[in-house]
Amino acid sequence: MSTETTEGRDRRVDNLLTDNPALYEARFPDPDRLAGRWAADCLHRHGAGPRVLDMGCGTGRDAAHLHHAGRTVTGADLSEAMLTHARSHHPGPVYVRADLHGFDFGPAAFDALVCLDSALLYCHTNAQLDAFLTSCRRALTPGGLLVAEMRNGAYFLGRTDLLDAPVVNTFTWQGVDHRSETTLHVDRTAQLLCRTRVWTSDDGSPPVEQRSAWRLLFPQELRHLLAAHGFEVLELHDGPGPRTEPAWKKGALPGTTTDGDRLHVVARSRTH
């Protein structure tokens, strides 16, 4: 853990949500397992086989939903805290530690790979994106599916409504009131959406500052990357999805535009 002094006060620099998975689930509740149901619907519509890798599984909620839907699921994440929480709170899948910047579960180990909630965008560089997609292709059986959901880089072309002004959220967890102040800005040179989030609580804990970033991918850029790594794009659209407004509902078909703030892709691995 590192510290820095900001405006005369000591502020811890930490990833509070990654280090506290239960707090993450309290801040981002998904009681209806909307993300998992959306992913399951994509897999069903395109006839995916039973073996699924959830890459960047986090707390394990979506992996567990896919498991209970009858699939054989492996959940992978880099955070040991998240994996420990997943094993105890969302049992069923096999949970393993792996880095999305490069992983190897053996050739053709899975029929489908899901990567939700912008996890793919933690590949910041072209080299990291190449390594991720190379790993995906190796892990999937020929004809296997890649299903991903993420922020849409195209949304930030000319739009600033989500940028620079802090957004405040408050909620209560374990009897403590928590407040987060989140500010987004774009690093155009690196093609990154950068986030600074400052956490405060009413229990006397010092403020915690969390910094993270997502790669901003544009729809045609993503289509090109997938094709270059041996994938055929079956769907590429801005909704409906688990984090769109309105949100996806069972039976809803994919849209035809890529202008919204979320991007959804389903791609099939071509025969090697």
Side-chain angles (χ1 to χ4, degrees):
M1 179 188 303
S2 60
T3 61
E4 64 177 298
T5 301
T6 303
E7 296 178 354
R9 62 181 179 177
D10 288 333
R11 176 181 290 175
R12 293 188 299 152
V13 180
D14 218 345
N15 193 330
L16 190 66
L17 293 181
T18 299
D19 296 340
N20 297 274
L23 179 64
Y24 178 96
E25 291 194 340
R27 170 62 183 87
F28 299 107
D30 186 11
D32 297 326
R33 298 297 182 263
L34 186 57
R37 290 194 293 114
W38 174 81
D41 183 75
C42 291
L43 299 178
H44 175 74
R45 283 189 295 107
H46 292 284
R51 302 170 302 163
V52 178
L53 173 63
D54 182 357
M55 196 66 208
C57 67
T59 64
R61 293 182 298 190
D62 302 327
H65 176 83
L66 293 171
H67 166 82
H68 293 304
R71 298 187 180 273
T72 302
V73 182
T74 298
D77 203 278
L78 193 58
S79 167
E80 287 289 2
M82 286 288 193
L83 292 170
T84 299
H85 179 92
R87 293 183 185 112
S88 60
H89 289 80
H90 303 291
V94 174
Y95 291 105
V96 298
R97 188 173 187 269
D99 188 342
L100 59 83
H101 294 162
F103 53 90
D104 189 356
F105 293 96
F110 300 99
D111 303 302
L113 187 153
V114 300
C115 192
L116 306 177
D117 197 22
S118 297
L120 186 157
L121 302 184
Y122 287 108
C123 295
H124 291 173
T125 68
N126 291 341
Q128 290 170 349
L129 286 165
D130 286 337
F132 170 76
L133 291 172
T134 297
S135 299
C136 289
R137 183 92 188 283
R138 179 173 54 240
L140 287 171
T141 186
L145 289 185
L146 170 62
V147 176
E149 180 271 337
M150 68 201 84
R151 288 183 176 271
N152 181 11
Y155 184 81
F156 296 92
L157 293 173
R159 293 189 180 98
T160 60
D161 55 294
L162 300 180
L163 300 177
D164 302 324
V167 175
V168 174
N169 180 275
T170 59
F171 67 103
T172 301
W173 178 62
Q174 295 185 343
V176 176
D177 291 332
H178 294 267
R179 179 181 187 272
S180 65
E181 183 177 297
T182 304
T183 307
L184 301 175
H185 75 275
V186 172
D187 180 339
R188 291 176 175 81
T189 300
Q191 207 169 306
L192 293 176
L193 180 65
C194 303
R195 177 180 66 187
T196 301
R197 177 176 286 155
V198 178
W199 291 91
T200 54
S201 59
D202 66 357
D203 63 355
S205 300
V208 176
E209 183 174 281
Q210 175 188 349
R211 296 179 183 268
S212 57
W214 299 278
R215 172 68 179 263
L216 289 178
L217 287 174
F218 302 101
Q220 294 306 313
E221 179 186 19
L222 179 58
R223 187 182 293 276
H224 174 77
L225 284 167
L226 288 165
H229 284 274
F231 286 92
E232 175 192 3
V233 175
L234 305 178
E235 298 178 12
L236 184 61
H237 60 92
D238 57 12
R243 294 171 181 84
T244 61
E245 185 59 46
W248 173 86
K249 294 182 179 180
K250 184 175 177 59
L253 295 177
T256 59
T257 59
T258 54
D259 189 56
D261 66 337
R262 306 300 294 191
L263 197 60
H264 313 79
V265 63
V266 180
R268 190 181 303 279
S269 175
R270 295 195 293 263
T271 302
H272 291 280

